[in-house]
Amino acid sequence: MQLDYISKMSKGKRIPKEEERLTCLLDAMECTGNTRADLLFLYRQEKMGRSQWQCMEELIRIIQQDVVEFPQVSVSPSVSGIPDTDMTLDNIFAIYACIRKAMINASDSTICLCTPEISLEHLRYLVQIIHEVPYRRLEHLFPLLQNQTTENTLDNLRKICSLKPAMNYENYKPFYYYVSSAESEAKKAGLLPNWLITDHIAIGINFHTAKGIILRDAQQIQLLKNSFIQERKIAKEMLFCSDLNAYVKDVNVMMNEGYVTHNYYIEYSPCLLHLIPLNVLKQQIILDGVEKEQLLSSLFQRIRHMETESMVHIFCISGLRQLMEQGRIAGYPDMLYKPLDPAMRLWLLKSYYQYMLHTPHSCICVKENFVQLPKHISIVCSSNVHNGIAFWNNTSHGLQYYILKESGFSQKLYEFCQFLENGNMAWSQEETLDIIRNMIVKYGGTL
């Protein structure tokens, strides 16, 4: 390295294009293990670029959101009643009090929510109301920026992060459409771009959520509703709902399409389905009759697929601990199967250790100070841009898998998996093997 090159690095004017140069420099500086790891991590962030790294951070927030996580905001909890005539609203508390009351009064019908221009802060207010009041069906129509720049995608990820808590409700239906940055700025100048529409009332809100209007005229309400329906028809669904059987089939279809370099699986505990003997799997599943046969058929197909594909498992130490202490594996809800007995848990852990030895770089154990994986998620990600986050809920229709998808989101999810594989947010293979060895011994086994 030239002295001038090193001088520019020390002043923050240049970073090495090749990571190998940096590692050589760290060797020459005799950096300790922790300092070396921190500098490598910061180098990878710097090389990625600020906006790209912010996308990764936002994606981590979305992944970490649990089913019980809701925005902590303060909104006036009650309103005496909504006048029977048209009127204006001149402050945020009156607006959200009226929205709450209107949603409660329309709990037995479909509610239309359109938010072309609203700040993230006030979007979180709406999400809290969605969490607190009952409704039969709420259709939410909103724009995302065209994914032409990393900054646009970052804005979209922030909006998705704000809306994600509402997606845990079976009656919340999000629809999105793309706009350019110029179109988005133009709409902010609109008088009342945001609307909540029920069968009997329409509430219009300005961009700053400081002014609003209540409409009671049936003809005006119907015109607004018709306009909403037409726009929703050409919008895209963001959330797809299915049962477990359909979800497994969807994963198989996605993995069979197009050019695939790696298949990434992000789950709380390792993806162990392909290691469990089929006779054990049959015994563990609680379902009966046709439902059980359909599930087994889908799982057998999934297992055959997993045996031939190039997989990378991403999990956390807490998930491994749950496997050994409770006999639970992530990716499938507890109500579907009986806990694995201690002997089978130990056998599985030893089998996974051997799997890691024979398939280098196929397993990534994330450091939980960087990424905390919830128990209910199951992310399947490939180089096909159909990736999404799956999470399950108990609904009035039984157990349902919800899959969150959008093209910019999907692309960043794949890039995030690549970063986990090559970055410094995970334990090395040798460190992971050492963790598993210690765990095997702790629970009474030997290698």
Side-chain angles (χ1 to χ4, degrees):
M1 285 187 179
Q2 297 296 320
L3 183 60
D4 179 60
Y5 189 91
I6 296 176
S7 175
K8 287 180 178 178
M9 284 175 56
S10 72
K11 295 175 182 177
K13 295 181 178 179
R14 176 174 293 182
I15 61 172
K17 292 183 179 179
E18 301 85 16
E19 187 170 313
E20 185 181 357
R21 282 195 168 198
L22 179 64
T23 57
C24 290
L25 188 60
L26 295 175
D27 289 339
M29 294 167 63
E30 298 182 353
C31 290
T32 61
N34 288 339
T35 301
R36 181 189 182 89
D38 289 344
L39 288 171
L40 275 171
F41 181 62
L42 291 169
Y43 164 77
R44 287 160 183 159
Q45 288 186 41
E46 187 75 13
K47 190 175 180 182
M48 184 181 286
R50 180 176 177 81
S51 296
Q52 177 75 341
W53 174 246
Q54 287 178 320
C55 284
M56 297 298 106
E57 288 184 311
E58 206 62 43
L59 200 52
I60 290 171
R61 292 188 187 96
I62 294 171
I63 290 171
Q64 290 182 156
Q65 285 176 319
D66 212 341
V67 286
V68 294
E69 181 180 337
F70 298 104
Q72 299 300 310
V73 293
S74 297
V75 180
S76 179
S78 62
V79 63
S80 56
I82 303 176
D84 293 333
T85 57
D86 294 356
M87 66 172 291
T88 59
L89 303 167
D90 58 4
N91 66 78
I92 183 174
F93 298 106
I95 289 170
Y96 282 107
C98 284
I99 287 174
R100 186 192 301 271
K101 190 70 174 179
M103 288 179 65
I104 292 172
N105 292 343
S107 59
D108 60 345
S109 60
T110 297
I111 298 170
C112 303
L113 177 63
C114 182
T115 56
E117 289 303 333
I118 191 170
S119 69
L120 290 180
E121 178 187 6
H122 294 301
L123 194 59
R124 295 186 188 104
Y125 287 10
L126 285 173
V127 168
Q128 181 171 347
I129 296 175
I130 289 170
H131 160 53
E132 292 174 348
V133 305
Y135 48 87
R136 190 185 74 181
R137 181 181 174 89
L138 192 153
E139 296 182 354
H140 185 188
L141 182 65
F142 55 90
L144 293 178
L145 295 175
Q146 295 168 348
N147 290 291
Q148 296 174 334
T149 66
T150 304
E151 288 75 14
N152 287 356
T153 303
L154 176 60
D155 284 344
N156 292 344
L157 288 173
R158 286 171 174 162
K159 183 174 287 188
I160 291 170
C161 189
S162 297
L163 292 172
K164 173 69 164 38
M167 297 182 193
N168 294 295
Y169 295 99
E170 61 176 308
N171 296 329
Y172 175 77
K173 309 296 179 185
F175 298 85
Y176 69 95
Y177 56 93
Y178 289 114
V179 296
S180 66
S181 298
E183 289 172 322
S184 177
E185 286 300 318
K187 286 188 177 181
K188 288 180 182 178
L191 183 61
L192 296 169
N194 308 297
W195 287 90
L196 178 90
I197 309 161
T198 72
D199 289 344
H200 305 292
I201 191 173
I203 302 175
I205 314 163
N206 71 352
F207 170 70
H208 298 290
T209 326
K211 301 289 182 180
I213 187 171
I214 296 175
L215 298 180
R216 286 284 192 176
D217 182 79
Q219 189 173 6
Q220 290 177 322
I221 292 172
Q222 193 58 50
L223 285 172
L224 286 167
K225 184 173 287 190
N226 290 342
S227 176
F228 177 92
I229 291 171
Q230 291 303 314
E231 290 188 36
R232 189 207 61 202
K233 285 180 179 178
I234 59 176
K236 300 179 181 179
E237 288 186 67
M238 177 169 282
L239 203 60
F240 300 86
C241 184
S242 65
D243 59 20
L244 176 60
N245 188 43
Y247 168 68
V248 175
K249 288 181 179 178
D250 183 59
V251 170
N252 280 328
V253 169
M254 185 184 82
M255 291 306 186
N256 279 322
E257 288 181 348
Y259 174 71
V260 177
T261 53
H262 268 315
N263 294 331
Y264 293 99
Y265 295 79
I266 305 180
E267 292 179 338
Y268 184 63
S269 66
C271 186
L272 298 169
L273 183 64
H274 63 299
L275 297 177
I276 301 175
L278 296 182
N279 61 321
V280 174
L281 196 60
K282 289 180 179 179
Q283 294 172 0
Q284 296 299 126
I285 294 177
I286 296 173
L287 303 175
D288 296 318
V290 176
E291 198 174 11
K292 181 173 183 176
E293 290 303 316
Q294 288 178 340
L295 178 58
L296 282 171
S297 176
S298 294
L299 291 179
F300 292 164
Q301 182 185 2
R302 185 82 208 99
I303 291 168
R304 287 192 297 271
H305 198 165
M306 293 171 75
E307 289 171 346
T308 59
E309 68 187 31
S310 174
M311 295 187 298
V312 179
H313 301 165
I314 300 171
F315 63 97
C316 63
I317 295 172
S318 297
L320 268 179
R321 196 174 295 118
Q322 178 187 255
L323 167 67
M324 298 309 295
E325 293 179 357
Q326 302 175 24
R328 295 295 185 183
I329 58 173
Y332 300 96
D334 294 353
M335 71 283 295
L336 290 178
Y337 65 97
K338 296 179 290 187
L340 300 166
D341 62 55
M344 177 52 64
R345 300 172 202 173
L346 195 56
W347 182 89
L348 266 179
L349 192 61
K350 292 168 73 172
S351 298
Y352 195 62
Y353 180 85
Q354 294 299 323
Y355 174 80
M356 285 188 66
L357 282 176
H358 293 99
T359 55
H361 313 297
S362 64
C363 306
I364 299 172
C365 185
V366 297
K367 295 178 179 178
E368 291 176 271
N369 59 318
F370 288 116
V371 186
Q372 295 181 355
L373 301 177
K375 297 178 182 179
H376 66 284
I377 66 165
S378 179
I379 302 174
V380 183
C381 186
S382 77
S383 51
N384 297 320
V385 187
H386 300 295
N387 312 312
I389 290 183
F391 51 97
W392 64 80
N393 277 331
N394 281 316
T395 72
S396 59
H397 303 290
L399 180 70
Q400 295 285 294
Y401 272 74
Y402 295 170
I403 307 169
L404 191 165
K405 292 184 180 181
E406 185 265 330
S407 60
F409 175 88
S410 298
Q411 183 61 43
K412 292 304 174 190
L413 188 59
Y414 183 69
E415 291 172 8
F416 172 70
C417 290
Q418 290 179 307
F419 182 72
L420 281 181
E421 187 173 21
N422 302 313
N424 203 40
M425 300 171 71
W427 301 103
S428 68
Q429 186 187 26
E430 187 50 49
E431 288 170 329
T432 305
L433 287 170
D434 191 49
I435 289 169
I436 296 178
R437 278 195 297 267
N438 292 335
M439 203 168 279
I440 289 172
V441 173
K442 177 182 177 180
Y443 291 100
T446 57
L447 288 172

